[in-house]
PDB file of all heavy atoms in Angstrom:
ATOM      1  N   VAL A 239      -4.957   9.765  11.058  1.00  0.00           N
ATOM      2  CA  VAL A 239      -3.794   8.874  10.976  1.00  0.00           C
ATOM      3  C   VAL A 239      -2.719   9.297  11.963  1.00  0.00           C
ATOM      4  O   VAL A 239      -2.153   8.489  12.698  1.00  0.00           O
ATOM      5  CB  VAL A 239      -3.235   8.857   9.542  1.00  0.00           C
ATOM      6  CG1 VAL A 239      -1.867   8.197   9.505  1.00  0.00           C
ATOM      7  CG2 VAL A 239      -4.181   8.098   8.624  1.00  0.00           C
ATOM      8  N   ARG A 240      -2.427  10.579  11.979  1.00  0.00           N
ATOM      9  CA  ARG A 240      -1.399  11.075  12.894  1.00  0.00           C
ATOM     10  C   ARG A 240      -1.787  10.826  14.353  1.00  0.00           C
ATOM     11  O   ARG A 240      -0.947  10.448  15.172  1.00  0.00           O
ATOM     12  CB  ARG A 240      -1.175  12.566  12.650  1.00  0.00           C
ATOM     13  CG  ARG A 240      -0.443  12.856  11.349  1.00  0.00           C
ATOM     14  CD  ARG A 240      -0.380  14.323  11.067  1.00  0.00           C
ATOM     15  NE  ARG A 240       0.450  14.618   9.905  1.00  0.00           N
ATOM     16  CZ  ARG A 240       0.513  15.798   9.313  1.00  0.00           C
ATOM     17  NH1 ARG A 240      -0.208  16.795   9.767  1.00  0.00           N
ATOM     18  NH2 ARG A 240       1.298  15.973   8.252  1.00  0.00           N
ATOM     19  N   ALA A 241      -3.044  11.047  14.686  1.00  0.00           N
ATOM     20  CA  ALA A 241      -3.491  10.851  16.064  1.00  0.00           C
ATOM     21  C   ALA A 241      -3.390   9.399  16.483  1.00  0.00           C
ATOM     22  O   ALA A 241      -2.896   9.077  17.571  1.00  0.00           O
ATOM     23  CB  ALA A 241      -4.934  11.350  16.214  1.00  0.00           C
ATOM     24  N   VAL A 242      -3.837   8.479  15.612  1.00  0.00           N
ATOM     25  CA  VAL A 242      -3.798   7.056  15.943  1.00  0.00           C
ATOM     26  C   VAL A 242      -2.364   6.569  16.090  1.00  0.00           C
ATOM     27  O   VAL A 242      -2.011   5.865  17.043  1.00  0.00           O
ATOM     28  CB  VAL A 242      -4.550   6.235  14.873  1.00  0.00           C
ATOM     29  CG1 VAL A 242      -4.316   4.743  15.085  1.00  0.00           C
ATOM     30  CG2 VAL A 242      -6.035   6.534  14.923  1.00  0.00           C
ATOM     31  N   CYS A 243      -1.496   6.935  15.139  1.00  0.00           N
ATOM     32  CA  CYS A 243      -0.100   6.481  15.196  1.00  0.00           C
ATOM     33  C   CYS A 243       0.631   7.081  16.384  1.00  0.00           C
ATOM     34  O   CYS A 243       1.438   6.425  17.024  1.00  0.00           O
ATOM     35  CB  CYS A 243       0.613   6.842  13.899  1.00  0.00           C
ATOM     36  SG  CYS A 243       0.017   5.938  12.454  1.00  0.00           S
ATOM     37  N   ARG A 244       0.345   8.353  16.685  1.00  0.00           N
ATOM     38  CA  ARG A 244       0.998   8.986  17.836  1.00  0.00           C
ATOM     39  C   ARG A 244       0.606   8.279  19.130  1.00  0.00           C
ATOM     40  O   ARG A 244       1.446   8.017  20.000  1.00  0.00           O
ATOM     41  CB  ARG A 244       0.608  10.463  17.897  1.00  0.00           C
ATOM     42  CG  ARG A 244       1.379  11.253  18.947  1.00  0.00           C
ATOM     43  CD  ARG A 244       0.924  12.706  18.976  1.00  0.00           C
ATOM     44  NE  ARG A 244       1.114  13.328  17.684  1.00  0.00           N
ATOM     45  CZ  ARG A 244       0.116  13.739  16.911  1.00  0.00           C
ATOM     46  NH1 ARG A 244      -1.133  13.574  17.307  1.00  0.00           N
ATOM     47  NH2 ARG A 244       0.366  14.319  15.756  1.00  0.00           N
ATOM     48  N   GLU A 245      -0.676   7.931  19.252  1.00  0.00           N
ATOM     49  CA  GLU A 245      -1.141   7.237  20.458  1.00  0.00           C
ATOM     50  C   GLU A 245      -0.568   5.839  20.544  1.00  0.00           C
ATOM     51  O   GLU A 245      -0.118   5.394  21.604  1.00  0.00           O
ATOM     52  CB  GLU A 245      -2.673   7.173  20.460  1.00  0.00           C
ATOM     53  CG  GLU A 245      -3.238   6.475  21.686  1.00  0.00           C
ATOM     54  CD  GLU A 245      -4.753   6.354  21.624  1.00  0.00           C
ATOM     55  OE1 GLU A 245      -5.333   6.747  20.596  1.00  0.00           O
ATOM     56  OE2 GLU A 245      -5.340   5.862  22.601  1.00  0.00           O
ATOM     57  N   ALA A 246      -0.524   5.138  19.394  1.00  0.00           N
ATOM     58  CA  ALA A 246      -0.049   3.749  19.400  1.00  0.00           C
ATOM     59  C   ALA A 246       1.415   3.672  19.777  1.00  0.00           C
ATOM     60  O   ALA A 246       1.803   2.860  20.620  1.00  0.00           O
ATOM     61  CB  ALA A 246      -0.291   3.112  18.034  1.00  0.00           C
ATOM     62  N   PHE A 247       2.258   4.517  19.177  1.00  0.00           N
ATOM     63  CA  PHE A 247       3.688   4.395  19.407  1.00  0.00           C
ATOM     64  C   PHE A 247       4.143   5.114  20.665  1.00  0.00           C
ATOM     65  O   PHE A 247       5.298   5.023  21.044  1.00  0.00           O
ATOM     66  CB  PHE A 247       4.456   4.911  18.181  1.00  0.00           C
ATOM     67  CG  PHE A 247       4.525   3.902  17.081  1.00  0.00           C
ATOM     68  CD1 PHE A 247       3.514   3.811  16.150  1.00  0.00           C
ATOM     69  CD2 PHE A 247       5.585   3.028  16.983  1.00  0.00           C
ATOM     70  CE1 PHE A 247       3.563   2.866  15.137  1.00  0.00           C
ATOM     71  CE2 PHE A 247       5.641   2.085  15.990  1.00  0.00           C
ATOM     72  CZ  PHE A 247       4.631   1.998  15.054  1.00  0.00           C
ATOM     73  N   SER A 248       3.245   5.842  21.309  1.00  0.00           N
ATOM     74  CA  SER A 248       3.584   6.399  22.618  1.00  0.00           C
ATOM     75  C   SER A 248       3.221   5.441  23.746  1.00  0.00           C
ATOM     76  O   SER A 248       3.748   5.529  24.837  1.00  0.00           O
ATOM     77  CB  SER A 248       2.853   7.734  22.838  1.00  0.00           C
ATOM     78  OG  SER A 248       1.438   7.532  22.829  1.00  0.00           O
TER      79      SER A 248
END
Side-chain angles (χ1 to χ4, degrees):
V239 167
R240 288 173 173 169
V242 171
C243 292
R244 188 181 301 114
E245 180 183 4
F247 280 87
S248 62

